[in-house]
mmCIF file of all heavy atoms in Angstrom:
data_model
loop_
_atom_site.group_PDB
_atom_site.id
_atom_site.type_symbol
_atom_site.label_atom_id
_atom_site.label_comp_id
_atom_site.label_asym_id
_atom_site.label_seq_id
_atom_site.Cartn_x
_atom_site.Cartn_y
_atom_site.Cartn_z
ATOM 1 N N ILE H 59 -1.375 10.892 5.382
ATOM 2 C CA ILE H 59 -1.240 11.838 6.498
ATOM 3 C C ILE H 59 -0.907 13.182 5.871
ATOM 4 O O ILE H 59 -0.517 13.257 4.718
ATOM 5 C CB ILE H 59 -0.146 11.382 7.502
ATOM 6 C CG1 ILE H 59 -0.216 12.148 8.812
ATOM 7 C CG2 ILE H 59 1.232 11.486 6.895
ATOM 8 C CD1 ILE H 59 -1.036 11.480 9.855
ATOM 9 N N SER H 60 -1.078 14.245 6.635
ATOM 10 C CA SER H 60 -0.676 15.569 6.157
ATOM 11 C C SER H 60 0.171 16.242 7.217
ATOM 12 O O SER H 60 0.131 15.876 8.389
ATOM 13 C CB SER H 60 -1.906 16.424 5.818
ATOM 14 O OG SER H 60 -2.626 16.756 6.991
ATOM 15 N N SER H 61 0.934 17.226 6.764
ATOM 16 C CA SER H 61 1.770 17.985 7.690
ATOM 17 C C SER H 61 2.059 19.349 7.079
ATOM 18 O O SER H 61 1.683 19.621 5.940
ATOM 19 C CB SER H 61 3.091 17.242 7.957
ATOM 20 O OG SER H 61 3.859 17.198 6.786
ATOM 21 N N GLY H 62 2.735 20.181 7.846
ATOM 22 C CA GLY H 62 3.094 21.513 7.380
ATOM 23 C C GLY H 62 4.552 21.800 7.637
ATOM 24 O O GLY H 62 5.193 21.120 8.436
ATOM 25 N N LEU H 63 5.072 22.811 6.952
ATOM 26 C CA LEU H 63 6.431 23.240 7.244
ATOM 27 C C LEU H 63 6.509 23.650 8.710
ATOM 28 O O LEU H 63 7.543 23.554 9.351
ATOM 29 C CB LEU H 63 6.840 24.395 6.325
ATOM 30 C CG LEU H 63 6.908 24.032 4.834
ATOM 31 C CD1 LEU H 63 7.234 25.267 4.009
ATOM 32 C CD2 LEU H 63 7.929 22.936 4.580
ATOM 33 N N GLU H 64 5.360 24.095 9.226
ATOM 34 C CA GLU H 64 5.194 24.342 10.660
ATOM 35 C C GLU H 64 3.778 23.914 11.015
ATOM 36 O O GLU H 64 2.896 23.902 10.163
ATOM 37 C CB GLU H 64 5.421 25.816 10.999
ATOM 38 C CG GLU H 64 4.458 26.753 10.293
ATOM 39 C CD GLU H 64 4.769 28.222 10.543
ATOM 40 O OE1 GLU H 64 5.655 28.759 9.868
ATOM 41 O OE2 GLU H 64 4.114 28.806 11.418
ATOM 42 N N ALA H 65 3.573 23.509 12.243
ATOM 43 C CA ALA H 65 2.237 23.113 12.683
ATOM 44 C C ALA H 65 1.463 24.341 13.139
ATOM 45 O O ALA H 65 2.040 25.328 13.590
ATOM 46 C CB ALA H 65 2.334 22.103 13.814
ATOM 47 N N SER H 66 0.140 24.287 13.003
ATOM 48 C CA SER H 66 -0.709 25.379 13.486
ATOM 49 C C SER H 66 -2.011 24.746 13.982
ATOM 50 O O SER H 66 -1.958 23.862 14.824
ATOM 51 C CB SER H 66 -0.951 26.403 12.372
ATOM 52 O OG SER H 66 -1.576 25.780 11.255
ATOM 53 N N GLN H 67 -3.138 25.162 13.430
ATOM 54 C CA GLN H 67 -4.425 24.579 13.778
ATOM 55 C C GLN H 67 -5.237 24.419 12.509
ATOM 56 O O GLN H 67 -5.090 25.207 11.569
ATOM 57 C CB GLN H 67 -5.188 25.473 14.761
ATOM 58 C CG GLN H 67 -4.526 25.586 16.110
ATOM 59 C CD GLN H 67 -5.362 26.415 17.085
ATOM 60 O OE1 GLN H 67 -6.322 27.060 16.711
ATOM 61 N NE2 GLN H 67 -4.980 26.377 18.347
ATOM 62 N N VAL H 68 -6.118 23.413 12.510
ATOM 63 C CA VAL H 68 -6.990 23.218 11.352
ATOM 64 C C VAL H 68 -8.004 24.360 11.343
ATOM 65 O O VAL H 68 -8.673 24.621 12.350
ATOM 66 C CB VAL H 68 -7.706 21.853 11.425
ATOM 67 C CG1 VAL H 68 -8.592 21.653 10.201
ATOM 68 C CG2 VAL H 68 -6.680 20.729 11.521
ATOM 69 N N ARG H 69 -8.090 25.032 10.208
ATOM 70 C CA ARG H 69 -8.988 26.193 10.104
ATOM 71 C C ARG H 69 -10.454 25.762 10.147
ATOM 72 O O ARG H 69 -10.830 24.807 9.479
ATOM 73 C CB ARG H 69 -8.708 26.974 8.826
ATOM 74 C CG ARG H 69 -7.340 27.652 8.821
ATOM 75 C CD ARG H 69 -7.147 28.478 7.571
ATOM 76 N NE ARG H 69 -8.086 29.575 7.523
ATOM 77 C CZ ARG H 69 -7.850 30.795 8.018
ATOM 78 N NH1 ARG H 69 -6.712 31.065 8.597
ATOM 79 N NH2 ARG H 69 -8.754 31.736 7.921
ATOM 80 N N PRO H 70 -11.280 26.494 10.884
ATOM 81 C CA PRO H 70 -12.712 26.165 10.944
ATOM 82 C C PRO H 70 -13.377 26.187 9.570
ATOM 83 O O PRO H 70 -14.280 25.408 9.291
ATOM 84 C CB PRO H 70 -13.310 27.235 11.860
ATOM 85 C CG PRO H 70 -12.189 28.026 12.410
ATOM 86 C CD PRO H 70 -10.917 27.626 11.728
#
Side-chain angles (χ1 to χ4, degrees):
I59 194 93
S60 68
S61 67
L63 296 176
E64 60 185 82
S66 59
Q67 294 183 350
V68 181
R69 293 184 65 91

